[in-house]
Amino acid sequence: MSKLKNIIQKIEEVHQIKVYGDYHPNDFVKGVRFLNKEDIRSVYLSPNILYLCDYDLIRDKNVYGLILCVNCMEPSKNFLSIQENIDLFEISNSIFEVLDQFENVERKKQLLFNVLHSGNCLTELLRNAYNSIENPIQILDSSYTILARFPLS
C-alpha cells in the first residue's frame, strides 16, 4: 500500500511525463490491475486498486474507480490521464517500485515493533533500528544522558 501522490510523483519523475486529473493525494493504493472489459461491465471498480488502461478502452464508458489512462488527449475528472502513448507495463513497473518501497518500510517497522514488545533491551531495539536505517542511533533521556546506543564504538 502506498499513497497515490507518491505513485504519481514516481511516474512523472521516471518517465518525464505529466499525469493529469483530480485526486486526493492521501488516497492509498494497495494494488495495481490492468483494466479489462469485464471490469468495465461492473461500473464500480474495487477500492484502493489503481487500474491501468489505454483511453480507447473506456472512451464513452461510465466506469467509476481509480483509473490511470494512457494515450488520452481529453483529460477527465473521472480518471487520471497521461497524454503520451507510453507502455502500460513500464508504468506498472514504476508503480510496483513504489509499492515495494512502502512494503519494505512496513516490514522494518513491524520488526522494530516486535523487538520492542518481546521484552528485549534497548540495545537490541537499537541494533535492529541500526540495521534498518544504516546510521548510528542513540536514545537520550530528558537530561541528555545516553540510555543506549548502537553501535557502541
Side-chain angles (χ1 to χ4, degrees), residues 15-121:
H15 302 284
Q16 298 297 302
I17 56 176
K18 175 77 175 131
V19 176
Y20 297 94
D22 296 332
Y23 66 94
H24 193 282
N26 291 327
D27 280 348
F28 275 94
V29 173
K30 68 178 181 180
V32 179
R33 182 178 161 101
F34 291 98
L35 189 69
N36 60 37
K37 292 178 182 177
E38 186 177 310
D39 294 326
I40 292 172
R41 278 181 260 171
S42 69
V43 180
Y44 293 98
L45 302 173
S46 297
N48 301 105
I49 301 294
L50 179 58
Y51 290 84
L52 306 177
C53 70
D54 189 278
Y55 179 66
D56 288 338
L57 186 63
I58 64 166
R59 183 188 315 262
D60 303 323
K61 303 278 192 306
N62 291 323
V63 182
Y64 301 96
L66 191 53
I67 304 171
L68 175 61
C69 294
V70 298
N71 199 21
C72 178
M73 297 303 177
E74 311 164 9
S76 168
K77 290 186 178 185
N78 294 334
F79 53 83
L80 301 170
S81 63
I82 297 172
Q83 292 179 345
E84 289 78 10
N85 188 12
I86 189 165
D87 185 10
L88 289 173
F89 289 104
E90 290 181 27
I91 296 292
S92 68
N93 286 341
S94 296
I95 295 169
F96 284 124
E97 283 180 30
V98 175
L99 293 174
D100 285 344
Q101 288 171 349
F102 189 85
E103 287 300 316
N104 287 336
V105 168
E106 287 300 309
R107 265 187 287 223
K108 289 176 182 179
K109 283 175 29 182
Q110 187 62 45
L111 173 68
L112 293 175
F113 180 80
N114 291 342
V115 169
L116 181 65
H117 286 281
S118 63
N120 291 309
C121 63

